[in-house]
């Protein structure tokens, strides 16, 4: 891109005023845009009534060539939803508790200046978006996107029980408290599900998670084969029986996925214990999954609650979003 082409394009920032230090962010964006030779950036604030979709559409209508999302995971998800299949790239200034997509893209989490430099001087990377079409408990049909993970059951209940004040104090560790609050009330529920159009399968589960990518806070490799750009969703069906079952899942996520997979010997050890693991956590892969629930269950996307749902269809929209990543 020539200098004159850069001067003829501008960026926009969609920011959550609760999550960001606006003065620092403005100073950092101004320095990065001037260093890269871009025109002056426009600014759009989110609100309680608009978490980012409408603000992003305003930025698009104003001709933005790039939208910087500055806020938590909810802001990032909202901006991505509005940018879906637009060809306009998204940059991320991580400012939340989880920063899930930023972690999976290996973006810097602690430096505004590093994030804005990547926005204006990085390179484009196409990634997939997860798309969820849900039938709510009230019978309405809604469509939303997700970048990292969708969850039914205990996972969504954990989100609902996580205290906002604790998140501000201890960050992502507040979700541990959410698990402790949700577990005593959690009950298995019955579903029917179909992956990639295959025959429906019945199951009784405690949770089902569908991932566009697999890394969670604390560097937990929940679904280590999940990739942001493969056009595939990775699915975990959790069927633990009692405390021992949950401990087996925890061991798999922390020890097997986080440690053993790094060596050939470790991978052979995993293969030797696969049959026992599969009884509590079954993993599947496919471009889409349909789930019908016997009773309505809590549903979440990228850490945001979406209430009770009766049916869910999730699919990967391959290459639907362009994100800015560091130049190699």
């Amino acid at each position: 891109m020539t200098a004159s082409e850069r001067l003829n394009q501008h960026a926009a920032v969609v920011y959550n005023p609760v999550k960001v230090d606006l003065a620092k962010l403005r100073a950092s964006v101004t320095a990065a845009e001037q260093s890269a030779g871009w025109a002056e950036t426009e600014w759009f604030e989110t609100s309680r009534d608009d978490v980012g979709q409408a603000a992003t559409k305003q930025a698009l209508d104003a001709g933005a060539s790039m939208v910087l999302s500055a806020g938590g995971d909810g802001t990032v998800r909202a901006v991505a939803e509005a940018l879906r299949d637009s060809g306009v790239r998204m940059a991320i200034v991580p400012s939340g508790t989880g920063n899930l997509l930023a972690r999976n893209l290996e973006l810097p989490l602690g430096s505004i200046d590093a994030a804005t430099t990547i926005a204006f001087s990085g390179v484009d990377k196409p990634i997939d978006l997860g798309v969820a079409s849900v039938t709510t408990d009230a019978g309405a049909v809604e469509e939303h996107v997700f970048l990292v993970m969708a969850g039914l059951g205990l996972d969504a209940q954990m989100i609902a029980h996580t205290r906002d004040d604790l998140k501000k104090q201890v960050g992502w560790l507040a979700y541990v408290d959410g698990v402790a609050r949700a577990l005593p009330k959690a009950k298995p529920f019955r579903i029917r599900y179909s992956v990639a159009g295959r025959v429906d399968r019945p199951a009784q589960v405690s949770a089902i998670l569908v991932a566009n990518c697999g890394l969670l806070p604390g560097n937990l490799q929940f679904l280590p084969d999940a990739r942001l750009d493969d056009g595939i969703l990775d699915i975990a069906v959790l069927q633990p029986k009692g405390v021992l079952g949950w401990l087996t899942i925890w061991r798999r996520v922390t020890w097997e996925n986080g440690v053993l997979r790094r060596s050939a010997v470790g991978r052979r050890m995993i293969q030797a214990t696969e049959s026992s693991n599969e009884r509590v956590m079954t993993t599947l892969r496919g471009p889409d999954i349909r789930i019908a629930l016997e009773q309505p269950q809590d549903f979440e996307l990228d850490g945001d609650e979406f209430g009770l749902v009766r049916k869910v269809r999730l699919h990967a929209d391959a290459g639907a979003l362009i994100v800015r990543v560091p130049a190699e």
Side-chain angles (χ1 to χ4, degrees):
M1 186 181 299
T2 66
S4 61
E5 287 173 330
R6 286 194 294 270
L7 282 170
N8 286 329
Q9 66 177 356
H10 74 273
V13 177
V14 173
Y15 67 96
N16 181 338
V18 177
K19 297 283 188 178
V20 305
D21 184 324
L22 186 56
K24 287 184 179 179
L25 181 60
R26 281 187 178 275
S28 184
V29 167
T30 298
E33 79 184 19
Q34 290 176 352
S35 176
W38 283 53
E40 185 177 352
T41 297
E42 295 188 319
W43 295 77
F44 300 88
E45 182 177 306
T46 67
S47 65
R48 185 180 296 273
D49 295 328
D50 169 42
V51 296
Q53 290 95 334
T56 303
K57 289 175 182 176
Q58 292 177 38
L60 291 175
D61 290 343
S65 300
M66 174 174 65
V67 178
L68 286 75
S69 174
D73 292 324
T75 305
V76 174
R77 194 195 65 78
V79 171
E81 188 166 86
L83 291 180
R84 178 185 175 190
D85 294 323
S86 69
V88 174
R89 71 270 276 196
M90 179 177 78
I92 304 170
V93 182
S95 307
T97 302
N99 299 314
L100 296 175
L101 182 60
R103 292 176 191 274
N104 281 272
L105 290 171
E106 298 183 346
L107 298 177
L109 301 181
S111 170
I112 294 176
D113 290 342
T116 57
T117 297
I118 291 168
F120 287 96
S121 302
V123 296
D124 294 342
K125 176 181 175 64
I127 65 170
D128 306 337
L129 283 176
V131 182
S133 178
V134 304
T135 301
T136 69
D137 190 27
V141 177
E142 302 173 355
E143 185 173 274
H144 309 281
V145 308
F146 63 100
L147 294 149
V148 179
M149 199 168 293
L152 275 166
L154 179 63
D155 172 66
Q157 293 162 19
M158 174 199 74
I159 299 297
H161 284 85
T162 299
R163 292 160 43 197
D164 289 336
D165 61 329
L166 197 59
K167 285 168 66 175
K168 293 178 181 178
Q169 295 174 31
V170 300
W172 66 268
L173 288 172
Y175 293 114
V176 176
D177 177 72
V179 171
R181 290 169 176 269
L183 265 176
K185 299 179 182 179
K187 295 181 179 179
F189 55 95
R190 298 198 63 80
I191 65 170
R192 297 190 68 85
Y193 69 95
S194 170
V195 178
R198 292 192 286 270
V199 175
D200 282 5
R201 297 178 58 180
Q204 181 164 297
V205 306
S206 292
I208 183 165
L209 296 103
V210 181
N212 192 34
C213 49
L215 183 66
L216 298 179
N219 289 321
L220 293 179
Q221 288 284 357
F222 186 75
L223 288 164
D225 293 328
R227 299 289 180 268
L228 275 163
D229 57 0
D230 60 1
I232 296 293
L233 296 175
D234 287 68
I235 302 150
V237 181
L238 306 187
Q239 300 169 291
K241 289 182 172 62
V243 175
L244 184 60
W246 287 111
L247 289 175
T248 300
I249 292 172
W250 181 252
R251 184 192 66 192
R252 177 169 177 176
V253 172
T254 57
W255 175 243
E256 294 183 8
N257 293 351
V259 179
L260 294 185
R261 282 180 176 268
R262 297 175 184 173
S263 69
V265 173
R267 289 191 290 274
R268 287 196 293 271
M269 291 173 64
I270 292 172
Q271 290 174 354
T273 59
E274 275 183 343
S275 59
S276 61
N277 283 341
E278 286 178 358
R279 287 196 291 270
V280 298
M281 178 174 169
T282 303
T283 55
L284 306 161
R285 307 187 79 227
D288 61 77
I289 179 172
R290 297 193 313 272
I291 306 167
L293 299 121
E294 195 171 90
Q295 298 292 331
Q297 296 295 326
D298 290 295
F299 184 59
E300 65 91 5
L301 296 171
D302 291 348
D304 282 341
E305 301 174 60
F306 280 82
L308 296 172
V309 299
R310 291 183 173 274
K311 294 180 183 178
V312 183
R313 179 182 182 270
L314 305 110
H315 74 275
D317 191 353
L321 182 69
I322 301 169
V323 295
R324 295 290 269 182
V325 297
E328 295 183 358

